[in-house]
Amino acid sequence: MKLTCQSVDWAKIHIQNYYDSDFFVKPFEFKAIWSNWQKVREFLTTTDINDFIVKTPLSYAAPKSKVGYRIVHQLDPMDSLIYTALAYEIAEKVEQKRIEISDDAVCSYRIELNDEGNFFSKGNGYLNFKDKSISYAESYKYVLVADITDFYNQVYLHRIQNAIEFCDDDLADLSNNIEQFLMKLTNKTSRGVPVGPAASIIMTEALMLDVDSFILSENEKYVRYVDDIRVFSNSYDDLNLLLHNLTKYLYNNHRLTLSTSKTKILYIDDFKQNYIDTHEEKEKEAIHESLNELTFQLGPYPDFEIVEAEPTKQQIVKAQSEAFVSLMEQIVEFDVIDLGSTRHILRKAKKNRTRSILPIVLDKFDFFAPVMRDLILYLEAVTNQRVAEENLIKLENIISEGKYSYIPYVQYWLSYYFTSRDYFLENQIIKDYVEKSEGLRFKAIQAKRKKDISWVRKYKNQFDQYSSWDRRAIIFAGDILPKGERKPWMDNISQSNDIVDNSLATYIKGI
């Protein structure tokens, strides 16, 4: 089987408009791929899916909101396109087999493809999950709360293949191709989908089709968000029997287990107290309500008096800045970071280049580690040379004293931030920090910004010895070489059978 032109083009739009991984910066290789799109598109649509050479994804342990880390991934750029296109091919068929939206049971990530490359144009569904839980809590005495252990990393790939084929018999061959592709990504371990790409959500929702049906056959008062399960009843014994049966079903059919620490049967009052009506939850809800009021358009803003004249742009900016500071001050008082509202604030502040929260962000850097991607993208948006100079001591302290600063995933993001500005690279502490980061990517960017030709020549002569990620970093930095040296090297690489190496070398030649 081969990928269709429609699926490949849609995958391109998805990655252009959104992301290839929700935990990483978009690789520079994509600019080269887009510039060589006709050739890349032809390669993707004329190569048998099983003949694609799949490369090892980047894999890091990212801090979680409470304690510990989760493994997150970034696929090789071509693999990202392939994986997204494969997900597109099955997405609508998967959605057709899911429990109807009107039943309110399955809330997470309802699939609705659009022309902008969005798999889930109506959001992730978490608020529906919360609202339905609150509604059931008013009518029942007990609730079973359950969570599947390490869900994304433990899913059995053959069961994903079965689930996709179940959606439509015509998907049988494609489902086998998808299983083989995922097997290559996991080095044939037969378990786990990459954490980060949106395509993985399609795969895991397909996997949960029969689990949803099984639970609903035993109890209709069921609601699910990803792997977070809640079932309501007036009978403790019924829920206990369901828990027993669900435990067996998940293990026998999917080799999945329920988290011991997160799975329990609760009196409804305890559920309300610990999951809904906690002081912290009420504060978080108030923050979300405040965020909804910040529309960033002329109209109602917090603390504005009602006046006949519309507020000036300066008044609006001032009100926004004050509101952001107030909300962030509340967030950092929580024992556990509220991921949703924190991301919302950072993204809005990034869009508006609001610097009022910068002191909080830098002073509490470790607290914000679980939202590292949004944190660094915000810092990048609001940083200029003056801001960098004013906050240099704080940044040096983050490097030298932060409890996450030498965690490779955090180092990846900080290195990205520091190498995005020439003036950071004049600082020896920062230069040394970047030099200690994993791989060659940020070292290559640093060499390119500093026009360090000796660095490129050193690695250029050992070019073929490196992984694909590092090899492309060396190519990327190669544009600082003198034309007489650069052109024959790029000409040679542009003849490569590796389509990404080929595209990148061609792109560098054209700069």
Side-chain angles (χ1 to χ4, degrees):
M1 292 191 69
K2 298 177 177 65
L3 295 171
T4 65
C5 293
Q6 184 178 7
S7 67
V8 168
D9 287 339
W10 194 92
K12 177 193 177 191
I13 294 169
H14 170 77
I15 292 173
Q16 282 180 317
N17 290 346
Y18 296 95
Y19 55 83
D20 66 313
S21 173
D22 198 26
F23 293 92
F24 295 88
V25 68
K26 198 177 295 183
F28 53 70
E29 287 91 337
F30 280 117
K31 287 185 179 180
I33 289 171
W34 307 151
S35 72
N36 194 33
W37 182 243
Q38 289 307 313
K39 187 172 182 179
V40 171
R41 186 177 189 259
E42 181 182 0
F43 170 77
L44 289 171
T45 55
T46 59
T47 303
D48 189 280
I49 294 172
N50 284 335
D51 289 339
F52 286 123
I53 297 174
V54 178
K55 297 183 174 66
T56 302
L58 293 181
S59 177
Y60 285 86
K64 295 175 73 172
S65 59
K66 293 183 181 178
V67 178
Y69 299 84
R70 68 162 54 85
I71 302 301
V72 296
H73 304 92
Q74 183 168 47
L75 273 58
D76 183 88
M78 287 301 290
D79 295 340
S80 288
L81 279 164
I82 296 165
Y83 191 36
T84 306
L86 289 169
Y88 173 87
E89 298 268 11
I90 66 170
E92 291 181 331
K93 297 285 188 176
V94 170
E95 184 62 27
Q96 289 168 13
K97 277 291 184 179
R98 297 173 78 191
I99 304 301
E100 293 287 340
I101 295 177
S102 58
D103 291 340
D104 288 330
V106 178
C107 299
S108 54
Y109 294 99
R110 301 307 306 220
I111 300 164
E112 186 177 66
L113 304 175
N114 67 21
D115 293 339
E116 285 75 46
N118 194 342
F119 280 111
F120 321 106
S121 58
K122 293 183 179 177
N124 63 18
Y126 181 76
L127 291 179
N128 291 340
F129 170 72
K130 184 176 179 180
D131 290 343
K132 194 63 180 179
S133 296
I134 292 171
S135 175
Y136 279 144
E138 296 303 318
S139 304
Y140 295 93
K141 294 180 180 178
Y142 303 98
V143 59
L144 164 64
V145 295
D147 190 283
I148 298 173
T149 301
D150 200 17
F151 181 45
Y152 273 56
N153 287 310
Q154 292 301 318
V155 295
Y156 187 33
L157 298 183
H158 190 57
R159 290 294 178 260
I160 290 179
Q161 183 271 320
N162 293 156
I164 295 169
E165 185 177 354
F166 169 72
C167 293
D168 191 321
D169 289 341
D170 291 341
L171 295 177
D173 289 339
L174 183 58
S175 69
N176 283 316
N177 292 150
I178 290 172
E179 181 185 6
Q180 293 306 310
F181 178 80
L182 290 170
M183 287 279 283
K184 291 176 184 177
L185 281 179
T186 60
N187 290 320
K188 299 188 176 182
T189 60
S190 78
R191 280 186 180 273
V193 294
V195 178
S200 289
I201 298 172
I202 307 297
M203 304 302 165
T204 53
E205 287 299 332
L207 183 83
M208 292 297 286
L209 288 170
D210 69 305
V211 178
D212 293 329
S213 297
F214 174 79
I215 296 175
L216 283 169
S217 71
E218 302 228 342
N219 188 314
E220 295 181 353
K221 307 308 176 184
Y222 159 59
V223 62
R224 176 177 68 81
Y225 178 78
V226 190
D227 62 335
D228 193 348
I229 294 167
R230 293 173 181 174
V231 188
F232 296 80
S233 176
N234 284 320
S235 169
Y236 182 97
D237 290 342
D238 286 352
L239 290 180
N240 194 35
L241 179 60
L242 170 59
L243 176 57
H244 169 271
N245 294 342
L246 177 60
T247 301
K248 287 186 63 178
Y249 186 87
L250 286 171
Y251 181 77
N252 289 339
N253 292 282
H254 296 285
R255 288 298 187 266
L256 295 172
T257 59
L258 294 173
S259 168
T260 304
S261 62
K262 296 180 181 179
T263 300
K264 58 196 75 173
I265 300 173
L266 299 168
Y267 286 109
I268 212 67
D269 287 344
D270 293 334
F271 172 71
K272 289 179 180 179
Q273 182 178 348
N274 291 290
Y275 289 81
I276 296 175
D277 293 333
T278 66
H279 176 69
E280 193 164 282
E281 281 298 317
K282 289 178 178 177
E283 286 188 347
K284 289 178 181 178
E285 188 148 333
I287 289 172
H288 282 287
E289 288 176 2
S290 297
L291 284 168
N292 288 334
E293 293 177 13
L294 288 171
T295 60
F296 300 94
Q297 298 171 359
L298 288 176
Y301 287 90
D303 301 325
F304 270 141
E305 294 181 0
I306 298 175
V307 294
E308 291 184 6
E310 290 180 339
T312 65
K313 182 178 180 180
Q314 186 177 8
Q315 286 175 310
I316 292 171
V317 171
K318 183 174 183 292
Q320 291 170 352
S321 296
E322 291 174 353
F324 281 140
V325 170
S326 175
L327 294 172
M328 274 300 200
E329 285 175 345
Q330 295 175 61
I331 284 172
V332 296
E333 292 300 317
F334 296 147
D335 291 334
V336 177
I337 189 171
D338 178 11
L339 298 176
S341 57
T342 305
R343 286 189 178 118
H344 192 161
I345 293 170
L346 288 170
R347 289 172 186 179
K348 292 295 186 182
K350 167 182 171 283
K351 181 179 179 181
N352 289 269
R353 294 202 167 32
T354 303
R355 294 193 175 100
S356 58
I357 62 171
L358 187 59
I360 299 173
V361 163
L362 294 178
D363 290 342
K364 299 286 186 178
F365 186 86
D366 287 340
F367 179 81
F368 293 105
V371 292
M372 187 55 57
R373 180 178 185 271
D374 289 295
L375 172 61
I376 297 299
L377 293 179
Y378 163 73
L379 288 177
E380 181 187 31
V382 301
T383 299
N384 56 26
Q385 188 159 358
R386 178 184 60 80
V387 170
E389 290 171 355
E390 289 175 352
N391 293 281
L392 190 57
I393 293 176
K394 287 185 178 182
L395 292 169
E396 289 177 348
N397 287 339
I398 287 170
I399 288 173
S400 59
E401 300 176 10
K403 67 178 181 179
Y404 290 110
S405 63
Y406 282 97
I407 296 299
Y409 178 72
V410 175
Q411 195 167 27
Y412 165 98
W413 273 107
L414 281 171
S415 295
Y416 165 77
Y417 173 53
F418 291 138
T419 56
S420 69
R421 301 288 188 273
D422 288 341
Y423 40 79
F424 279 134
L425 302 181
E426 302 300 323
N427 182 286
Q428 192 61 46
I429 294 175
I430 289 175
K431 285 174 61 179
D432 291 345
Y433 181 78
V434 173
E435 282 295 324
K436 292 176 183 176
S437 62
E438 287 189 351
L440 296 181
R441 290 180 79 78
F442 298 115
K443 300 179 184 69
I445 294 171
Q446 181 169 261
K448 184 173 178 174
R449 284 194 170 277
K450 300 285 289 180
K451 299 194 181 304
D452 185 354
I453 292 176
S454 64
W455 186 94
V456 181
R457 286 174 174 161
K458 171 186 174 183
Y459 288 98
K460 169 176 171 278
N461 295 329
Q462 307 165 28
F463 174 75
D464 292 332
Q465 301 177 21
Y466 293 96
S467 70
S468 57
W469 291 97
D470 287 345
R471 190 171 66 245
R472 295 193 299 261
I474 301 167
I475 299 173
F476 183 67
D479 75 329
I480 65 174
L481 293 171
K483 184 177 180 180
E485 182 180 358
R486 179 180 73 246
K487 186 178 182 303
W489 185 39
M490 295 301 166
D491 284 341
N492 184 48
I493 297 171
S494 63
Q495 302 304 312
S496 166
N497 291 327
D498 187 295
I499 190 70
V500 183
D501 285 9
N502 180 308
S503 298
L504 187 57
T506 304
Y507 179 73
I508 295 297
K509 278 198 303 181
I511 292 177

